Amino acid sequence: MRALTVSTLSPDLSGTALADVPDAVARPGQVLIRVKAASLNYPDLLMTRGEYQMKPPLPFVPGMEVAGEVVSGDGVAPGTAVVAGTRLGGFADLVAVDAAAVRAKPAHLSFAEAASVGTAYLTAWVALVRLARIEAGEWLLVHGATGGVGLAAVDLGHALGAKVIATSRSPDKLATLARAYPVAATLPAPGFREEVKALTGGGADVVYDPVGGGVFDESVRCIAFGGRLLVVGFTSGRIAEISTNMPLIKGFSVVGVRAGEYGRQFPDRGRENLDAIWKLAGDGRIRPRVHAEIPLADWRQAFDAMQASDMVGKLVLVP
């Protein structure tokens, strides 16, 4: 089978290549899936450089979530359309996955859409529901809103009844977002501070920040008293710092979000989280936007687009 293999860590993907490797084989308790779609996530890019929290031994195949058809597996009929969280191994023709991580694909979602739900919406659910405890009617400020993780927070926030303000560096991408999802406002980032305060009457109740850097700094200046500032990532490349007098004076919380680790620390809640997002997806209350389906052979195009943040929604590799 073909698999995108990281043999050496490098800042320019020079250690990553599509290679012919032995077919994946399912062990007892696993399901072998023929991959129809595998979504690209920012941690996949970071792992090729050794810059992510999880540092798998070399060589490894990235790819955290897939949708496809069952080849074999106890209790699952061959040909069944499924989705699965893989953590690794998804960017390949075949992947073997623990049976507990596999569930039926919602019929109304395409393979590419289904492969785009798990990681992004799980992050948004843990952040907004478990950690921020967002309530209907609250103001939610989402940064990096046109990327996969940000767009999931926009979509989920609306489904939960929040009033969503979306920010991005690109007016064109924000216009695309506004056509796809109901939002209260779209604003440029940086430069959103005063408009957020005016729109909300004082500040955002919840800030969802996968960007960091100056966006985080500005968010501190437009968060409401009692607000929750969710640290999701640092796609800007700069990890922001904060003087502790700011949360003291303004009475807000700074909360780190690691959705996968949350599930590992609290397994029962982790299962509940996944059940919740897949129920929302199955009911049609959330739906990811797939920016492009890119052949696995053209993987470099997808990784370059991820690096440049040149998308609205998810990039999906198709074997």
Side-chain angles (χ1 to χ4, degrees):
M1 71 176 190
R2 299 171 306 157
L4 186 63
T5 303
V6 180
S7 299
T8 59
L9 303 176
S10 63
D12 60 359
L13 297 170
S14 59
T16 302
L18 194 62
D20 290 322
V21 301
D23 284 357
V25 176
R27 301 190 304 271
Q30 290 190 318
V31 175
L32 184 65
I33 299 171
R34 184 168 302 282
V35 179
K36 295 291 187 180
S39 74
L40 179 62
N41 292 281
Y42 198 66
D44 295 315
L45 177 63
L46 293 179
M47 276 191 276
T48 69
R49 307 170 182 163
E51 296 176 356
Y52 191 57
Q53 297 97 315
M54 183 175 72
K55 294 177 171 58
L58 296 168
F60 67 89
V61 177
M64 303 173 71
E65 54 190 336
V66 304
E69 294 177 345
V70 172
V71 176
S72 62
D74 295 340
V76 186
T80 301
V82 295
V83 294
T86 57
R87 297 194 76 194
L88 291 171
F91 298 151
D93 292 321
L94 297 166
V95 64
V97 183
D98 289 344
V102 179
R103 64 182 65 221
K105 179 182 79 67
H108 65 280
L109 295 182
S110 69
F111 282 106
E113 289 172 329
S116 301
V117 172
T119 298
Y121 282 86
L122 180 62
T123 299
W125 179 270
V126 170
L128 299 182
V129 176
R130 289 294 191 180
L131 301 177
R133 296 181 175 86
I134 197 166
E135 297 181 3
E138 288 194 304
W139 285 97
L140 169 63
L141 176 60
V142 179
H143 298 308
T146 56
V149 169
L151 207 57
V154 169
D155 190 17
L156 179 61
H158 175 260
L160 296 172
K163 294 176 287 189
V164 181
I165 302 171
T167 79
S168 170
R169 292 176 299 173
S170 168
D172 290 341
K173 291 197 290 186
L174 284 172
T176 299
L177 178 154
R179 288 192 293 269
Y181 297 97
V183 290
T186 58
L187 299 175
F192 53 85
R193 170 185 169 184
E194 295 304 324
E195 190 66 19
V196 168
K197 290 165 69 175
L199 282 167
T200 61
D205 300 295
V206 178
V207 180
Y208 184 92
D209 180 19
V211 179
V215 164
F216 179 95
D217 298 339
E218 196 173 345
S219 296
V220 169
R221 305 290 178 174
C222 64
I223 189 169
F225 190 90
R228 291 82 84 200
L229 203 169
L230 300 162
V231 179
V232 183
F234 317 103
T235 60
S236 69
R238 178 170 76 84
I239 297 175
E241 297 179 355
I242 185 171
S243 298
T244 53
N245 68 310
M246 294 300 295
L248 184 153
I249 292 168
K250 300 191 71 175
F252 68 87
S253 304
V254 179
V255 187
V257 180
R258 290 183 63 195
E261 186 61 24
Y262 185 95
R264 286 184 285 276
Q265 292 289 332
F266 308 108
D268 290 343
R269 291 183 219 168
R271 287 186 288 272
E272 291 170 1
N273 296 338
L274 285 168
D275 289 345
I277 62 170
W278 282 109
K279 185 177 190 312
L280 288 169
D283 292 345
R285 293 182 59 197
I286 57 172
R287 188 160 194 158
R289 183 183 191 275
V290 175
H291 179 82
E293 298 180 41
I294 299 171
L296 182 60
D298 297 328
W299 65 271
R300 184 67 184 251
Q301 175 187 338
F303 275 71
D304 287 345
M306 174 68 74
Q307 172 63 40
S309 298
D310 188 20
M311 70 281 187
V312 180
K314 296 287 286 187
L315 297 162
V316 177
L317 291 173
V318 180

